[in-house]
Amino acid sequence: MRKIANRRFEAVSFALLVVAMPRAAHAYLDPGTGSMVLQVVVAGVLGALFTFKSYIRAIVSSIGRFFGKQQTRSDV
Amino acid sequence: MLGAQVVSGSFRDPSGFLFHSDGVLYRQVNQSYRDDYDLLMASGLYESLAKAGKLIPHEEVNSVAPVTNDSYRIIKPRLIPFISYPYEWSFSQLKDAALLTLDLQVEALKRGMSLKDASAFNVQFVGSKPIFIDTLSFERYVEGTPWVAYQQFCQHFLAPLALLSQCDIHLRSLSSSFLHGVPLSLASTLLPKSSWFKFSHLIHIHLHARSQQRYADAAGGGKKSPSRPLHRSALLGILDSLKSSVLKLNWAPGGTEWADYYDATNYTSRALSEKEAIVDSLIREVRPTVAWDLGANNGLFSRLAAANGAYTVACDVDPSAVEKNYLRCKKEHSDALLPLIVDLTNPSPSLGWAHTERKSLLERGPTDLVLALALIHHLAISNNVPMDNLARFFASCGKSLIIEFVPKQDSQVQKLLASRKDIFPEYNQADFERYFGRYFTIERSVPVPETSRVIYLMRIK
């Protein structure tokens, strides 16, 4: 199982690494080319997930506020 | 400058360095860091982080001469009462340090800055509160660039936490072997197969390790990297993913030799409360500013020292006991008690470049008061340390000592001797007093009621 998974990830990562290279950044410590590349590779997925989570949080929060206000009014 | 002494571990970052002048700690900010320092101060980032207790506060001083010609500012940071290192932290301490680092990076991005390093050594604890101590770690954020400290964060925090949580708590010692962070290839090998099916581990550890490996080879082939921007929302996504990964990692203490120690001692409840009263009154006599409780277990007696105004470092070898102590300190919002994992038979050594980057335990002393309660029999009998070596060790730790002598007839010592030959003719009260008397003046000896134990107060000669 692990072998299959490993091969699949290797293939996907290799394909992505070829096309996704990060903009150069200069640091006093070597940030590691592989680490910089990986961020660009996963950026799309994690960025989209984050945006989606932010929307959900905003919706939940506004629903909470709505019911919170309702509660306050009924208390009054 | 005469009298200025650069701190030996402060040399890696060209932005500045720490130095002592007339016994006071300062940080020189170099001209090369000028723009970033000005942005840190002008953007409001410094003020908001320092106010929230997340970043060490400092004041700018003009009265101290710079150490080198390229100085821009000299700042005087607030002192940390006791410097500790990641390999001495319990699981939750490392986790809280990781969350603080991510929190700082998110806050920095809001103000147009970014952390240029994410070393666990940049975090210290004041009691149970983690605080970031490297003021020069912030740089201007350039839109489109990835996080330069991403690799360091994964190696210093995520990989060790995953290994502690999913493999074995004793893998903490990897952090002292790999001061630049646990190699991700090693973490990827050691983690269980199931971790491949955890999205965050897959990305930040397994795929990350492979990416490092592949590009280490690619760099060797002289391949040039083309440009491609990484948008801020994506960067926030990566940080959010790292935070979720860290939050999901847990470790439940328990099941170790010492975790339930006080439930299994041979003390009666009266003896224990008498012992507390004796120790409390002796601490009051010493009035320490800083105390080390060696063999502190869950910090029962450390709390007496802390309650008497001493900043107390509670050292114990057992990760479970230290974890429980830390969690309790957090609950109590304690800023005077710092639990640490320290094996007294092999205490933290001097580490890093020229053995001077990270200090040994003893180099961080001597402290005002050492507590060594229900400890000496473990060192003398379980670890075969002769009485003279013990006395010399405690004399190098602190100026005063409150120590409990546990005689051979005590049931706990009998347990230690049950499965081995008694090769300890000098383990008796008379020899104990004789050997410790070489280094200390014995001021008091108080027997603990309902036991054969005696508690001593000694002062260094």
Side-chain angles (χ1 to χ4, degrees):
Chain A
M1 187 64 187
R2 180 169 172 172
K3 266 188 181 174
I4 297 167
N6 285 357
R7 277 187 200 143
R8 203 171 70 209
F9 292 128
E10 275 195 6
V12 171
S13 61
F14 181 73
L16 288 168
L17 294 179
V18 171
V19 295
M21 294 300 294
R23 182 176 284 179
H26 301 285
Y28 80 97
L29 296 173
D30 180 6
T33 311
S35 301
M36 302 293 266
V37 168
L38 182 77
Q39 288 182 74
V40 177
V41 170
V42 300
V45 178
L46 296 182
L49 263 176
F50 177 66
T51 308
F52 178 70
K53 275 166 79 176
S54 303
Y55 279 127
I56 296 290
R57 276 182 204 140
I59 292 166
V60 169
S61 158
S62 56
I63 291 172
R65 269 204 306 274
F66 177 75
F67 282 108
K69 275 178 189 168
Q70 290 288 84
Q71 186 67 43
T72 311
R73 278 175 200 145
S74 64
D75 286 344
V76 172
Chain B
M1 180 193 151
L2 195 68
Q5 217 176 1
V6 176
V7 172
S8 51
S10 183
F11 61 85
R12 202 159 271 122
D13 185 354
S15 304
F17 54 85
L18 289 162
F19 67 97
H20 285 105
S21 180
D22 295 329
V24 182
L25 182 70
Y26 299 98
R27 190 187 285 277
Q28 177 172 309
V29 182
N30 288 340
Q31 286 288 349
S32 63
Y33 189 69
R34 179 185 189 138
D35 292 345
D36 289 322
Y37 180 77
D38 287 344
L39 182 59
L40 173 71
M41 303 307 289
S43 63
L45 180 61
Y46 165 78
E47 198 185 342
S48 73
L49 293 180
K51 205 173 169 185
K54 295 174 182 175
L55 175 64
I56 196 80
H58 69 254
E59 54 180 292
E60 294 181 1
V61 291
N62 298 314
S63 54
V64 178
V67 179
T68 57
N69 292 334
D70 58 343
S71 170
Y72 174 55
R73 288 272 192 278
I74 303 292
I75 60 175
K76 184 182 164 195
R78 186 183 292 171
L79 282 183
I80 298 291
F82 184 87
I83 296 293
S84 62
Y85 300 123
Y87 42 83
E88 297 168 334
W89 297 343
S90 70
F91 179 84
S92 291
Q93 283 172 306
L94 184 61
K95 184 173 173 176
D96 287 345
L99 292 171
L100 173 73
T101 305
L102 290 173
D103 188 20
L104 287 185
Q105 172 64 351
V106 172
E107 291 296 313
L109 284 172
K110 284 182 194 164
R111 310 257 184 177
M113 299 200 84
S114 177
L115 279 178
K116 64 183 180 184
D117 44 35
S119 164
F121 292 97
N122 283 344
V123 180
Q124 284 297 327
F125 282 86
V126 178
S128 61
K129 292 166 190 155
I131 186 164
F132 198 81
I133 57 162
D134 189 0
T135 313
L136 312 190
S137 279
F138 299 88
E139 64 180 3
R140 183 182 293 277
Y141 169 62
V142 179
E143 190 72 46
T145 51
W147 187 24
V148 292
Y150 172 65
Q151 171 181 260
Q152 205 177 23
F153 181 85
C154 293
Q155 294 187 168
H156 277 246
F157 293 110
L158 188 61
L161 283 168
L163 289 169
L164 296 177
S165 169
Q166 291 165 41
C167 293
D168 193 294
I169 197 66
H170 296 99
L171 288 174
R172 174 184 50 83
S173 59
L174 283 176
S175 296
S176 60
S177 302
F178 298 101
L179 292 181
H180 298 297
V182 176
L184 296 180
S185 55
L186 176 62
S188 179
T189 307
L190 292 175
L191 283 168
K193 286 176 186 170
S194 58
S195 66
W196 281 80
F197 298 98
K198 287 183 181 163
F199 187 60
S200 58
H201 285 22
L202 169 67
I203 290 174
H204 301 302
I205 296 178
H206 296 301
L207 202 52
H208 194 168
R210 277 158 189 260
S211 181
Q212 283 180 330
Q213 178 97 37
R214 190 171 297 280
Y215 269 85
D217 297 344
K223 187 178 177 183
K224 190 163 166 111
S225 307
S227 254
R228 180 169 162 168
L230 183 108
H231 295 292
R232 186 188 292 249
S233 59
L235 189 50
L236 288 171
I238 290 169
L239 294 171
D240 188 62
S241 166
L242 287 170
K243 187 177 176 180
S244 307
S245 314
V246 171
L247 282 171
K248 279 179 199 158
L249 289 169
N250 288 303
W251 176 69
T256 56
E257 189 183 357
W258 303 100
D260 302 313
Y261 177 75
Y262 289 111
D263 299 332
T265 56
N266 56 4
Y267 276 103
T268 61
S269 58
R270 188 196 153 208
L272 191 60
S273 63
E274 290 282 354
K275 180 177 170 181
E276 284 185 60
I278 293 164
V279 173
D280 188 54
S281 73
L282 295 179
I283 292 171
R284 282 170 199 270
E285 279 190 43
V286 178
R287 292 183 170 193
T289 304
V290 182
W292 294 359
D293 186 1
L294 304 181
N297 200 272
N298 61 17
L300 179 67
F301 294 95
S302 316
R303 280 177 173 74
L304 292 179
N308 280 297
Y311 186 82
T312 307
V313 184
C315 303
D316 202 276
V317 66
D318 182 55
S320 251
V322 176
E323 174 76 358
K324 284 182 177 179
N325 195 4
Y326 175 69
L327 294 176
R328 190 174 157 198
C329 287
K330 268 184 81 174
K331 215 172 173 182
E332 295 166 347
H333 304 290
S334 170
D335 56 5
L337 184 54
L338 172 65
L340 292 178
I341 302 172
V342 175
D343 178 358
L344 289 175
T345 65
N346 181 24
S348 309
S350 308
L351 289 173
W353 176 250
H355 304 288
T356 58
E357 273 189 88
R358 311 297 166 206
K359 289 183 176 179
S360 71
L361 177 70
L362 291 184
E363 283 174 315
R364 285 172 271 167
T367 188
D368 298 330
L369 171 68
V370 173
L371 293 176
L373 303 167
L375 173 70
I376 190 168
H377 52 306
H378 294 291
L379 300 175
I381 292 173
S382 303
N383 200 47
N384 287 29
V385 182
M387 202 61 92
D388 187 50
N389 295 40
L390 280 172
R392 203 170 342 123
F393 171 74
F394 285 117
S396 61
C397 288
K399 299 166 198 164
S400 296
L401 172 66
I402 296 175
I403 187 165
E404 180 178 16
F405 182 74
V406 187
K408 271 189 191 165
Q409 64 264 35
D410 187 280
S411 63
Q412 295 288 14
V413 182
Q414 286 300 314
K415 269 188 203 169
L416 298 179
L417 287 169
S419 56
R420 60 175 306 173
K421 195 176 168 189
D422 184 353
I423 52 163
F424 312 101
E426 290 190 326
Y427 189 83
N428 59 67
Q429 196 169 347
D431 281 325
F432 167 79
E433 290 183 6
R434 184 163 64 86
Y435 281 111
F436 276 74
R438 287 180 180 178
Y439 306 91
F440 293 95
T441 304
I442 298 176
E443 292 199 347
R444 282 173 187 277
S445 60
V446 188
V448 182
E450 296 186 3
T451 75
S452 51
R453 301 178 175 204
V454 182
I455 296 176
Y456 289 82
L457 169 61
M458 306 184 184
R459 307 262 190 180
I460 195 91
K461 278 183 174 169

Tab-separated table of all heavy atoms in Angstrom, chain B residues 288-325:
chain	number	residue	atom	x	y	z
B	288	PRO	N	15.297	32.969	48.520
B	288	PRO	CA	15.975	32.959	47.218
B	288	PRO	C	15.232	33.791	46.175
B	288	PRO	O	14.013	33.933	46.234
B	288	PRO	CB	15.930	31.484	46.827
B	288	PRO	CG	14.688	30.972	47.505
B	288	PRO	CD	14.532	31.742	48.775
B	289	THR	N	16.006	34.321	45.203
B	289	THR	CA	15.392	34.984	44.056
B	289	THR	C	15.101	33.944	42.975
B	289	THR	O	14.073	33.995	42.311
B	289	THR	CB	16.346	36.069	43.485
B	289	THR	OG1	16.664	36.949	44.546
B	289	THR	CG2	15.700	36.850	42.359
B	290	VAL	N	16.061	33.035	42.808
B	290	VAL	CA	15.873	31.929	41.859
B	290	VAL	C	16.171	30.628	42.585
B	290	VAL	O	17.122	30.544	43.368
B	290	VAL	CB	16.817	32.068	40.634
B	290	VAL	CG1	16.566	30.928	39.640
B	290	VAL	CG2	16.620	33.409	39.943
B	291	ALA	N	15.346	29.616	42.336
B	291	ALA	CA	15.561	28.308	42.962
B	291	ALA	C	15.469	27.209	41.907
B	291	ALA	O	14.731	27.357	40.918
B	291	ALA	CB	14.515	28.079	44.054
B	292	TRP	N	16.234	26.160	42.081
B	292	TRP	CA	16.109	24.970	41.234
B	292	TRP	C	15.606	23.843	42.116
B	292	TRP	O	16.238	23.518	43.140
B	292	TRP	CB	17.465	24.543	40.655
B	292	TRP	CG	18.092	25.493	39.699
B	292	TRP	CD1	17.599	26.697	39.251
B	292	TRP	CD2	19.380	25.330	39.064
B	292	TRP	NE1	18.497	27.284	38.378
B	292	TRP	CE2	19.588	26.474	38.247
B	292	TRP	CE3	20.363	24.342	39.103
B	292	TRP	CZ2	20.749	26.642	37.482
B	292	TRP	CZ3	21.517	24.501	38.347
B	292	TRP	CH2	21.699	25.642	37.539
B	293	ASP	N	14.509	23.253	41.724
B	293	ASP	CA	14.021	22.067	42.421
B	293	ASP	C	14.429	20.861	41.575
B	293	ASP	O	13.860	20.621	40.506
B	293	ASP	CB	12.489	22.148	42.576
B	293	ASP	CG	11.946	20.995	43.419
B	293	ASP	OD1	12.756	20.165	43.877
B	293	ASP	OD2	10.712	20.930	43.604
B	294	LEU	N	15.437	20.137	42.044
B	294	LEU	CA	15.964	19.007	41.265
B	294	LEU	C	15.242	17.729	41.691
B	294	LEU	O	15.172	17.418	42.888
B	294	LEU	CB	17.476	18.877	41.474
B	294	LEU	CG	18.293	20.142	41.150
B	294	LEU	CD1	19.783	19.909	41.374
B	294	LEU	CD2	18.049	20.601	39.714
B	295	GLY	N	14.722	17.005	40.722
B	295	GLY	CA	13.875	15.854	41.031
B	295	GLY	C	12.527	16.351	41.518
B	295	GLY	O	11.976	15.860	42.504
B	296	ALA	N	12.003	17.347	40.797
B	296	ALA	CA	10.813	18.080	41.270
B	296	ALA	C	9.512	17.297	41.120
B	296	ALA	O	8.498	17.660	41.700
B	296	ALA	CB	10.678	19.384	40.513
B	297	ASN	N	9.536	16.237	40.306
B	297	ASN	CA	8.324	15.497	39.999
B	297	ASN	C	7.245	16.454	39.496
B	297	ASN	O	7.509	17.226	38.587
B	297	ASN	CB	7.874	14.682	41.212
B	297	ASN	CG	6.933	13.565	40.798
B	297	ASN	OD1	5.735	13.785	40.723
B	297	ASN	ND2	7.479	12.416	40.440
B	298	ASN	N	6.049	16.430	40.095
B	298	ASN	CA	4.995	17.301	39.563
B	298	ASN	C	4.994	18.696	40.191
B	298	ASN	O	4.059	19.465	40.011
B	298	ASN	CB	3.625	16.638	39.701
B	298	ASN	CG	3.280	16.368	41.144
B	298	ASN	OD1	3.894	16.952	42.042
B	298	ASN	ND2	2.324	15.496	41.388
B	299	GLY	N	6.049	19.013	40.947
B	299	GLY	CA	6.225	20.388	41.407
B	299	GLY	C	5.559	20.719	42.735
B	299	GLY	O	5.350	21.893	43.036
B	300	LEU	N	5.279	19.715	43.551
B	300	LEU	CA	4.636	19.952	44.844
B	300	LEU	C	5.457	20.933	45.688
B	300	LEU	O	4.929	21.903	46.229
B	300	LEU	CB	4.467	18.612	45.584
B	300	LEU	CG	3.830	18.674	46.963
B	300	LEU	CD1	2.373	19.096	46.863
B	300	LEU	CD2	3.920	17.320	47.668
B	301	PHE	N	6.780	20.676	45.775
B	301	PHE	CA	7.626	21.530	46.609
B	301	PHE	C	8.140	22.757	45.842
B	301	PHE	O	8.475	23.760	46.457
B	301	PHE	CB	8.782	20.709	47.206
B	301	PHE	CG	8.270	19.670	48.174
B	301	PHE	CD1	8.036	18.367	47.769
B	301	PHE	CD2	7.970	20.024	49.478
B	301	PHE	CE1	7.530	17.434	48.650
B	301	PHE	CE2	7.465	19.094	50.368
B	301	PHE	CZ	7.235	17.786	49.956
B	302	SER	N	8.179	22.646	44.515
B	302	SER	CA	8.569	23.818	43.706
B	302	SER	C	7.596	24.952	43.978
B	302	SER	O	7.969	26.129	44.001
B	302	SER	CB	8.515	23.489	42.213
B	302	SER	OG	9.084	22.249	41.934
B	303	ARG	N	6.333	24.593	44.163
B	303	ARG	CA	5.307	25.620	44.374
B	303	ARG	C	5.516	26.368	45.691
B	303	ARG	O	5.136	27.523	45.822
B	303	ARG	CB	3.908	24.989	44.314
B	303	ARG	CG	3.484	24.780	42.881
B	303	ARG	CD	2.157	24.098	42.685
B	303	ARG	NE	1.832	24.122	41.266
B	303	ARG	CZ	2.424	23.346	40.354
B	303	ARG	NH1	3.331	22.469	40.708
B	303	ARG	NH2	2.123	23.461	39.072
B	304	LEU	N	6.114	25.676	46.664
B	304	LEU	CA	6.416	26.364	47.930
B	304	LEU	C	7.461	27.448	47.691
B	304	LEU	O	7.357	28.553	48.215
B	304	LEU	CB	6.942	25.362	48.973
B	304	LEU	CG	5.964	24.330	49.510
B	304	LEU	CD1	6.667	23.420	50.503
B	304	LEU	CD2	4.787	25.022	50.194
B	305	ALA	N	8.487	27.100	46.891
B	305	ALA	CA	9.535	28.087	46.587
B	305	ALA	C	8.948	29.250	45.792
B	305	ALA	O	9.228	30.418	46.085
B	305	ALA	CB	10.669	27.426	45.814
B	306	ALA	N	8.113	28.919	44.796
B	306	ALA	CA	7.502	29.967	43.968
B	306	ALA	C	6.600	30.864	44.819
B	306	ALA	O	6.596	32.088	44.665
B	306	ALA	CB	6.719	29.339	42.824
B	307	ALA	N	5.863	30.244	45.740
B	307	ALA	CA	4.961	31.020	46.599
B	307	ALA	C	5.744	31.953	47.520
B	307	ALA	O	5.223	32.967	47.976
B	307	ALA	CB	4.085	30.076	47.424
B	308	ASN	N	7.003	31.571	47.790
B	308	ASN	CA	7.848	32.427	48.627
B	308	ASN	C	8.645	33.443	47.811
B	308	ASN	O	9.626	34.011	48.292
B	308	ASN	CB	8.798	31.568	49.470
B	308	ASN	CG	8.090	31.007	50.691
B	308	ASN	OD1	7.637	31.754	51.552
B	308	ASN	ND2	7.953	29.697	50.752
B	309	GLY	N	8.261	33.628	46.549
B	309	GLY	CA	8.847	34.701	45.747
B	309	GLY	C	10.015	34.301	44.877
B	309	GLY	O	10.621	35.151	44.227
B	310	ALA	N	10.361	33.018	44.846
B	310	ALA	CA	11.508	32.598	44.020
B	310	ALA	C	11.036	32.170	42.633
B	310	ALA	O	10.037	31.456	42.506
B	310	ALA	CB	12.230	31.429	44.684
B	311	TYR	N	11.745	32.619	41.600
B	311	TYR	CA	11.486	32.070	40.264
B	311	TYR	C	12.060	30.657	40.299
B	311	TYR	O	13.263	30.468	40.479
B	311	TYR	CB	12.163	32.903	39.186
B	311	TYR	CG	11.790	32.439	37.794
B	311	TYR	CD1	10.599	32.857	37.208
B	311	TYR	CD2	12.593	31.557	37.084
B	311	TYR	CE1	10.228	32.420	35.950
B	311	TYR	CE2	12.225	31.113	35.820
B	311	TYR	CZ	11.042	31.554	35.256
B	311	TYR	OH	10.662	31.109	34.008
B	312	THR	N	11.196	29.664	40.135
B	312	THR	CA	11.605	28.283	40.406
B	312	THR	C	11.628	27.430	39.159
B	312	THR	O	10.642	27.369	38.416
B	312	THR	CB	10.649	27.664	41.457
B	312	THR	OG1	10.612	28.536	42.591
B	312	THR	CG2	11.123	26.290	41.885
B	313	VAL	N	12.776	26.798	38.932
B	313	VAL	CA	12.926	25.890	37.805
B	313	VAL	C	12.751	24.475	38.364
B	313	VAL	O	13.525	24.032	39.217
B	313	VAL	CB	14.321	26.045	37.155
B	313	VAL	CG1	14.430	25.164	35.919
B	313	VAL	CG2	14.582	27.497	36.801
B	314	ALA	N	11.701	23.804	37.913
B	314	ALA	CA	11.354	22.478	38.444
B	314	ALA	C	11.841	21.413	37.467
B	314	ALA	O	11.222	21.183	36.432
B	314	ALA	CB	9.848	22.389	38.649
B	315	CYS	N	12.967	20.785	37.783
B	315	CYS	CA	13.586	19.818	36.870
B	315	CYS	C	13.213	18.388	37.255
B	315	CYS	O	13.289	18.023	38.428
B	315	CYS	CB	15.107	19.930	36.923
B	315	CYS	SG	15.719	21.563	36.548
B	316	ASP	N	12.871	17.612	36.261
B	316	ASP	CA	12.645	16.187	36.511
B	316	ASP	C	12.967	15.398	35.251
B	316	ASP	O	12.840	15.921	34.135
B	316	ASP	CB	11.197	15.924	36.939
B	316	ASP	CG	11.086	14.606	37.688
B	316	ASP	OD1	10.964	13.546	37.025
B	316	ASP	OD2	11.158	14.616	38.932
B	317	VAL	N	13.336	14.153	35.445
B	317	VAL	CA	13.724	13.313	34.307
B	317	VAL	C	12.500	12.763	33.567
B	317	VAL	O	12.580	12.388	32.407
B	317	VAL	CB	14.639	12.157	34.793
B	317	VAL	CG1	13.856	11.202	35.701
B	317	VAL	CG2	15.239	11.403	33.629
B	318	ASP	N	11.376	12.757	34.230
B	318	ASP	CA	10.203	12.077	33.672
B	318	ASP	C	9.342	13.020	32.824
B	318	ASP	O	8.771	13.987	33.334
B	318	ASP	CB	9.372	11.513	34.823
B	318	ASP	CG	8.172	10.763	34.289
B	318	ASP	OD1	8.359	9.859	33.480
B	318	ASP	OD2	7.037	11.118	34.676
B	319	PRO	N	9.210	12.733	31.522
B	319	PRO	CA	8.423	13.613	30.640
B	319	PRO	C	6.963	13.731	31.062
B	319	PRO	O	6.337	14.778	30.880
B	319	PRO	CB	8.522	12.942	29.266
B	319	PRO	CG	9.573	11.905	29.371
B	319	PRO	CD	9.741	11.563	30.812
B	320	SER	N	6.430	12.665	31.643
B	320	SER	CA	5.024	12.687	32.079
B	320	SER	C	4.827	13.654	33.245
B	320	SER	O	3.877	14.442	33.259
B	320	SER	CB	4.612	11.288	32.535
B	320	SER	OG	3.738	10.724	31.641
B	321	ALA	N	5.718	13.547	34.234
B	321	ALA	CA	5.606	14.409	35.417
B	321	ALA	C	5.764	15.869	35.012
B	321	ALA	O	5.036	16.745	35.483
B	321	ALA	CB	6.662	14.018	36.445
B	322	VAL	N	6.717	16.139	34.102
B	322	VAL	CA	6.965	17.525	33.681
B	322	VAL	C	5.786	18.055	32.862
B	322	VAL	O	5.358	19.200	33.023
B	322	VAL	CB	8.294	17.623	32.881
B	322	VAL	CG1	8.517	19.033	32.361
B	322	VAL	CG2	9.466	17.203	33.762
B	323	GLU	N	5.228	17.195	32.013
B	323	GLU	CA	4.059	17.602	31.221
B	323	GLU	C	2.888	17.962	32.147
B	323	GLU	O	2.239	18.996	31.983
B	323	GLU	CB	3.667	16.453	30.273
B	323	GLU	CG	2.380	16.676	29.485
B	323	GLU	CD	2.535	17.642	28.309
B	323	GLU	OE1	3.635	18.187	28.118
B	323	GLU	OE2	1.536	17.851	27.601
B	324	LYS	N	2.653	17.104	33.127
B	324	LYS	CA	1.547	17.373	34.066
B	324	LYS	C	1.798	18.666	34.831
B	324	LYS	O	0.888	19.464	35.053
B	324	LYS	CB	1.410	16.215	35.056
B	324	LYS	CG	0.748	14.991	34.457
B	324	LYS	CD	0.586	13.904	35.493
B	324	LYS	CE	-0.151	12.713	34.903
B	324	LYS	NZ	-0.309	11.617	35.858
B	325	ASN	N	3.061	18.856	35.233
B	325	ASN	CA	3.412	20.068	35.975
B	325	ASN	C	3.181	21.308	35.107
B	325	ASN	O	2.603	22.306	35.553
B	325	ASN	CB	4.881	19.982	36.412
B	325	ASN	CG	5.219	21.005	37.486
B	325	ASN	OD1	4.360	21.733	37.975
B	325	ASN	ND2	6.488	21.074	37.848
